[in-house]
Every structure is written in C-alpha cells, then in structure tokens.
Amino acid sequence: MTHQSNSDFERPVEAPLQIGVFAHFAEEDGSVHSNADSVYERFIDLFVHAESLGFDSAWVRQFHLQNADRSRAGGLPSPFVFLAAVAARTERLRLGTGAVTLPLESPLRVAEDAAVLDVLSGGRVELGVANGGGLPGLAEVFGRSFADDPAKRRVDYLKALQALLDALAGKPLDEAGQIISPLRPQLLDRFWQATLSDTSAFEAAERGHGVLVGTTQTVPAEVTAAAYYRGLADGVTPRLGLSTLIFPGRSRESALREAEAGILKKWAWGKDFLPPRPPLLRLQTR
C-alpha cells in the first residue's frame, strides 16, 4: 500500500504505508502499574505478537516519575533499555522512540544509547525526540531548568538537537577529536521529531527528518502534515508518523459509552493548553 499526497502538498510523493503499535505506558490511574515488572513484560509480549501478525514497528513514549499516592503512574522512563529487551525477542520489528524528551536528557547520552541499541537490534532503531518538559517541576527534579519564554525554550531545544545530530554524525566532541562509540551515522536517516505545531513540522522537514504527529495537537493533524510536506526538499521521501487511538466497539454509540470516562479525563488534562474544543462525547453520534 502507498500513501499519495494530495494537491495541497504541491507535488506528488509516494511512500510506503506502514502500520505499527504504540505503548504510552503512563496512566491517570496508577493502580494499573502496581506491578511494573508485569506491565513491561505484557507490553513485550504484545510487541512480539504484533510482529507475528505482520505489524511493521513498535513505538514507546518516555515518561518519568509517579505521584506519591499513585494516582498517576509515570510509565516508561528508560525507552532504550526496554526496547533492547524487545529487540532480543523479535527479528524484524522496527523499534521506535516516540519520543525521548530531549530537554531532560544529555544529547550525547541519547546518541550513545541509541547507537548501542541500533547495533544490538541489527539496525532497527527509529530515533524520535521531542521538545517537551513534562509536568511542572519535572525539569528541576532532573537538575535542569526551562526558560519561561517559549521562544528561549525553543532555542535551547534546537541547540540540544544539533548537539545530538552532530554526535550521531561522528563530529569531534573535544579538541582531541574523540567521537561516540559505537558510531552509527545511519541513525540520521531514521531520525524523527515529535511535533505539536505546523511550524515545528515544517522545520523538521527542512532538516530531512521524519515527523511524529500525535492526538494532542495545537493545530489539526492535517495542518501539521501539510506544513511538513511543504518543508520537504524535492525528491526527499516523506516520513510522516500518525499516532491515533483505536477503540474497538460494536457500534459508535456503545464505544462512546464505554470510553466516556477516559475521553473526559483526557480532555480535562489538555483543556488548559490545547485549542478550545468540546470533548468527543458532546458530538452527535452517527
């Protein structure tokens, strides 16, 4: 199957359509993570089964910490460690970070961890990063601080991003000319940026990166996708990843009823920083 861009993207481009599975891990109700060992093992089993069914990739999101009362579980803080375990039990499944929160990490350590995982997995890593600070106060826990000015935060992120890209490319890290080991410049061809806006999607395309579009966008996903296509140089194969939730149900009405609590909780979580929009349950069912 192929994806054909429409006329709004100004040029015809074909790219293979691939289907993957995505694990968020973090939950509003920490009780589901009462045994983190079993949670991780169940997701590894899920990804192994997904490969047997023909899925192309498995993606994980990085989240840190949990509330003391366990009302919110942190999820997966160490995606490279987890994906190494997945790599040991799979053969062809692409292994994606969707995404590593770069402002909380050392760009050099991200480059090293991704390179080691790529070697162990036989070149199956899809390296995605994001410019997100997580919950209020999280940066300070990690000994970091974020500028109050969004423009300054963007500058800081781009500086860290460039440091990561330079390390992956094998550029010298000091006056002695040392470089990362193992060196895996191939990862630059499998590099992704998670984005919430059309501006950041356009900039990712200009760099030749793939773009990861989630369900909590500051603009509609199709606007982000169009901006990404506009930013691509001629002849560059587009890499556009869309994360969406599929909730099985016997009908739209029954699915909405069963998912009501989760939908409202998600809406409450994002209503203060996402564009105003009524929750799904207020829409007319078809």
Side-chain angles (χ1 to χ4, degrees), residues 196-263:
L196 295 178
S197 71
D198 50 343
T199 300
S200 52
F202 183 87
E203 293 175 352
E206 286 186 311
R207 290 176 175 268
H209 298 162
V211 68
L212 300 171
V213 182
T215 55
T216 51
Q217 299 291 120
T218 56
V219 296
E222 59 268 26
V223 174
T224 301
Y228 173 73
Y229 271 79
R230 288 196 303 272
L232 283 178
D234 289 340
V236 175
T237 301
R239 291 184 293 122
L240 180 63
L242 175 63
S243 170
T244 188
L245 174 67
I246 298 176
F247 190 92
R250 294 183 179 277
S251 67
R252 177 180 171 85
E253 292 79 6
S254 65
L256 286 173
R257 287 195 303 271
E258 294 169 6
E260 177 178 359
I263 292 174

Side-chain angles (χ1 to χ4, degrees), residues 19-48:
I19 306 297
V21 288
F22 176 73
H24 197 275
F25 287 96
E27 297 289 345
E28 297 293 332
D29 179 7
S31 62
V32 300
H33 286 259
S34 58
N35 187 340
D37 295 348
S38 65
V39 170
Y40 294 155
E41 191 63 33
R42 286 201 301 272
F43 273 111
I44 292 175
D45 289 342
L46 172 66
F47 290 160
V48 171

Side-chain angles (χ1 to χ4, degrees), residues 54-92:
F55 282 82
D56 298 291
S57 59
W59 296 78
V60 295
R61 179 69 165 97
Q62 182 183 50
F63 282 100
H64 295 284
L65 310 185
Q66 63 180 338
N67 291 350
D69 62 2
R70 303 183 67 83
S71 61
R72 179 191 56 77
L76 181 66
S78 305
F80 296 112
V81 175
F82 175 83
L83 289 176
V86 177
R89 293 178 52 184
T90 56
E91 296 181 355
R92 60 163 192 82

Side-chain angles (χ1 to χ4, degrees), residues 70-245:
R70 303 183 67 83
S71 61
R72 179 191 56 77
L76 181 66
S78 305
F80 296 112
V81 175
F82 175 83
L83 289 176
V86 177
R89 293 178 52 184
T90 56
E91 296 181 355
R92 60 163 192 82
L93 201 68
R94 309 299 301 173
L95 308 172
T97 59
V100 173
T101 307
L102 191 56
L104 297 178
E105 303 286 342
S106 159
L108 177 56
R109 288 294 296 119
V110 172
E112 290 179 327
D113 285 348
V116 170
L117 176 60
D118 203 49
V119 170
L120 293 177
S121 65
R124 290 188 278 149
V125 173
E126 303 289 334
L127 178 57
V129 301
N131 178 22
L135 298 172
L138 184 59
E140 288 71 20
V141 172
F142 281 85
R144 299 174 180 270
S145 62
F146 292 154
D148 294 331
D149 179 19
K152 177 61 167 58
R153 288 200 300 271
R154 179 68 178 167
V155 170
D156 292 342
Y157 167 71
L158 292 177
K159 182 179 178 179
L161 177 65
Q162 192 59 54
L164 171 57
L165 297 174
D166 288 347
L168 291 173
K171 293 187 177 181
L173 301 171
D174 58 13
E175 293 183 357
Q178 296 186 97
I179 61 176
I180 68 167
S181 177
L183 181 60
R184 301 291 284 184
Q186 307 95 309
L187 283 166
L188 293 171
D189 297 326
R190 294 177 259 128
F191 196 89
W192 302 73
Q193 290 191 60
T195 176
L196 295 178
S197 71
D198 50 343
T199 300
S200 52
F202 183 87
E203 293 175 352
E206 286 186 311
R207 290 176 175 268
H209 298 162
V211 68
L212 300 171
V213 182
T215 55
T216 51
Q217 299 291 120
T218 56
V219 296
E222 59 268 26
V223 174
T224 301
Y228 173 73
Y229 271 79
R230 288 196 303 272
L232 283 178
D234 289 340
V236 175
T237 301
R239 291 184 293 122
L240 180 63
L242 175 63
S243 170
T244 188
L245 174 67

